[in-house]
Structure formats: structure tokens, C-alpha cells
Amino acid sequence: MKKVAVSLFAILAGTSFAMAGDAGCDAFKWTVAREQALFPAAPAAQSGAALTVGQAVDFSLGAVDTISFEVPPEHAPAAGTFGATASVTVPPEGELQFSLSDEAWIDVVQDGQAVKSAAFSGVRTCPGIRKSVRFKLTAGPATVQLSGAKKADLKLAVLAPE
């Protein structure tokens, strides 16, 4: 009987851990399945890169004090953190979703002004994806500013919201 109880406990514990892992990514307000598919094969990019909607990049970030931001980041980055800038052409639909693999601040700038985010979702329990932020933008060029990253690399997906 003791063996059965121990076996049952082991099975339940394993199932609970597996469910907890799956629930981590399900805790986002919207699905991050596209990001999960894009991040493993994301090509390398440096600050100043041109981003493409529907793709992801693996940024090599620079020391935040060496990055020339178009406008100061909304949250002043701490010393010793990392950042980057990039350009993106916003499609006529105007809304974009930016998903990051790790903690960092993201600002999107159009016409010399930082645009307030329209929606945000972040969880700490989803392996490989930390947060996803949506912005309502106008069609045309925009600048993406990443700052305050604690690591020198960061994956970023640029998608049209589903």
C-alpha cells in the first residue's frame, strides 16, 4: 500500500509540475505561440537594425550609456544595463505587438514623440518570453527603443496582434 501511495504522489507531483510549466505561458492576456515559434531561429541583430513585422531578432545590446535614443526612455535605465534602438515600418493597420524574451523597457517613437502602450501582458513563468506590449501607431516609420536590460542579449518579436 505504501508503494502505491508513493507512486501516486510521484505521478501527481510530476503532473502538477508539467501543468505549472504549461500554465506559465497561458497566463499571458493573449497567446505567445508565434513568439515561441520565432525565437529559437531568430537571426542576430545589432542596435540600429531594421525590423520586419512578422519576424523576430536576437539583439546584441550595447551599454545603455552608449545608445543614442531619439527621446529619453520613459523609465530612466539604471547604470550598467543594456539597450538598443531599431527602426520598423508600421503597416496600414497601425497596431503592433512587441514581445521580449527578458526584462527590458520598450518605447516606440513616432514623429519625435513616445507613443503610450495600448496593452501590456507580462509573466515571469513563461520560459523564453517575459512580456508582450501592444501599441496603436500610424502607418509609416517608427523607432523602437529598448533600455534597462540586465543582460547583453534580448530576443524581440514584432507582430501584428491576432
Side-chain angles (χ1 to χ4, degrees):
M1 183 69 168
K2 190 175 182 181
K3 282 185 180 181
V4 172
V6 170
S7 296
L8 183 58
F9 175 76
I11 291 169
L12 291 173
T15 303
S16 295
F17 289 129
M19 288 174 60
D22 292 343
C25 297
D26 291 342
F28 276 100
K29 292 177 186 172
W30 47 81
T31 181
V32 291
R34 294 179 298 164
E35 292 87 333
Q36 289 174 313
L38 290 171
F39 278 175
Q46 303 289 323
S47 189
L51 304 174
T52 303
V53 177
Q55 296 183 352
V57 296
D58 188 352
F59 264 113
S60 289
L61 307 175
V64 76
D65 58 352
T66 67
I67 304 299
S68 295
F69 294 111
E70 187 174 334
V71 300
E74 184 177 336
H75 288 165
T81 59
F82 301 91
T85 61
S87 62
V88 65
T89 300
V90 179
E93 299 79 38
E95 190 170 6
L96 288 179
Q97 174 177 306
F98 298 89
S99 298
L100 290 77
S101 62
D102 291 293
E103 286 195 38
W105 186 257
I106 182 167
D107 291 297
V108 178
V109 179
Q110 269 195 318
D111 300 321
Q113 301 289 320
V115 178
K116 292 283 185 196
S117 64
F120 165 85
S121 186
V123 297
R124 296 181 189 276
T125 56
C126 180
I129 303 175
R130 170 62 183 92
K131 71 181 191 180
S132 188
V133 185
R134 292 179 174 174
F135 292 87
K136 291 187 188 251
L137 305 161
T138 57
T143 301
V144 178
Q145 300 182 161
L146 303 170
S147 60
K150 294 181 177 137
K151 298 181 349 182
D153 63 305
L154 176 79
K155 293 182 180 178
L156 172 71
V158 183
L159 302 166
E162 292 183 315

